[in-house]
């Protein structure tokens, strides 16, 4: 029997096209057939802190990708008089940068001016549009895409210019499937954990006040 009815022909063509797409998608690991890679603790940037808690937080906030990569850079302090300390951890997957954690030693300043400054460090302005405070360090703010803590580090008289703090921030550039509230909580956890670890490695002499 010949299929001559236009609707039947279109239906058959649609089914064939869908089957072809499904086959190609599976072959090339295209969503929804992409298999999510597990984040290995040994691959995570060391300065983010204890790997088990970091892996758990990253798994909750990052989008599903078939592989993840971590790139870490650090400029360490020589001693407590040194005013130079910078750290960065870049998390990538699927050919995109997914998350960035950064830390910088800087002179202490009022909360309002630091908040304005740290907003300017975000790569995406929308990440910092809805920042609200939380309790940590001298000042801390977070949204569903960004979290930052201003952590006391070197007391006045130890380094030129007075007290120095560590500004530690986490920016989520590509979101996963978790709710905004859940992501904000996990970004805060990531930033707290990184701040604690970095504070210990940055030759700080002040109490960080991270967990309050």
């Amino acid at each position: 029997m010949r299929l001559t009815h236009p609707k039947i022909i279109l239906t058959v063509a649609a089914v064939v096209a869908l089957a072809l797409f499904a086959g190609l998608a599976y072959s090339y690991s295209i969503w929804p057939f992409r298999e999510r890679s597990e984040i290995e603790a040994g691959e995570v940037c060391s300065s983010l802190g204890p790997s088990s808690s970091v892996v758990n937080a990253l798994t909750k906030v990052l989008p599903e990708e078939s592989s993840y990569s971590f790139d870490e850079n650090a400029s360490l302090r020589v001693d407590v008089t040194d005013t130079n300390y910078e750290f960065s951890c870049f998390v990538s997957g699927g050919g995109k940068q997914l998350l960035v954690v950064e830390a910088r030693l800087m002179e202490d300043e009022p909360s309002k001016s630091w908040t304005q400054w740290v907003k300017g460090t975000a790569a995406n302005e929308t990440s910092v549009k809805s920042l609200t405070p939380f309790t940590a360090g001298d000042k801390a703010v977070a949204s569903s895409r960004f979290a930052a803590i201003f952590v006391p580090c070197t007391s006045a008289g130890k380094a030129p210019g007075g007290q120095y703090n560590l500004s530690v921030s986490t920016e989520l550039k590509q979101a996963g499937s978790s709710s905004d509230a859940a992501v904000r909580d996990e970004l805060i956890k990531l930033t707290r954990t990184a701040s604690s670890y970095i504070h210990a490695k940055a030759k700080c002499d002040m109490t960080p006040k991270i967990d309050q």
Side-chain angles (χ1 to χ4, degrees):
M1 181 178 68
R2 297 178 60 190
L3 300 177
T4 57
H5 197 288
K7 288 185 178 180
I8 296 177
I9 295 174
L10 288 174
T11 300
V12 172
V15 171
V16 172
L18 182 60
L20 180 61
F21 171 77
L24 290 173
Y26 182 82
S27 299
Y28 290 95
S29 298
I30 300 173
W31 183 92
F33 300 100
R34 181 189 294 131
E35 183 178 353
R36 178 169 189 160
S37 173
E38 290 188 9
I39 299 173
E40 299 293 336
E43 298 176 352
V44 175
C45 299
S46 60
S47 293
L48 293 187
S51 56
S52 57
S53 59
V54 171
V55 167
N56 185 51
L58 289 173
T59 301
K60 291 180 179 178
V61 303
L62 294 177
E64 295 186 5
E65 296 294 347
S66 56
S67 65
Y68 299 96
S69 62
F70 296 81
D71 183 26
E72 183 174 19
N73 297 296
S75 176
L76 304 178
R77 297 180 79 189
V78 176
D79 53 40
V80 293
T81 65
D82 188 0
T83 59
N84 295 310
Y85 180 91
E86 292 185 5
F87 160 80
S88 58
C89 174
F90 303 96
V91 185
S92 301
K96 304 181 292 292
Q97 196 172 87
L98 307 177
L99 181 141
V100 178
V101 181
E102 295 181 303
R104 179 180 298 180
L105 186 69
M106 56 190 292
E107 287 190 64
D108 183 30
E109 59 181 56
S111 295
K112 186 176 180 179
S113 59
W114 169 76
T115 302
Q116 287 301 118
W117 176 84
V118 81
K119 280 183 176 182
T121 67
N124 189 340
E125 289 185 4
T126 59
S127 297
V128 292
K129 277 188 175 180
S130 57
L131 290 177
T132 53
F134 65 96
T135 304
D138 278 351
K139 175 69 175 178
V141 290
S143 69
S144 61
R145 295 294 179 271
F146 190 90
I149 305 175
F150 204 31
V151 186
C153 179
T154 299
S155 53
K158 296 291 181 67
Q163 178 179 325
Y164 278 76
N165 285 11
L166 286 165
S167 179
V168 184
S169 63
T170 304
E171 181 175 8
L172 180 63
K173 295 188 174 183
Q174 302 289 334
S177 58
S178 298
S179 68
D180 285 351
V183 171
R184 183 181 186 273
D185 288 343
E186 295 304 324
L187 291 180
I188 288 174
K189 290 178 185 177
L190 277 171
T191 310
R192 284 185 189 274
T193 305
S195 296
S196 181
Y197 189 91
I198 290 169
H199 184 272
K201 296 295 181 180
K203 302 184 184 298
C204 297
D205 65 273
M206 299 182 70
T207 302
K209 302 186 294 184
I210 294 169
D211 298 308
Q212 299 183 34

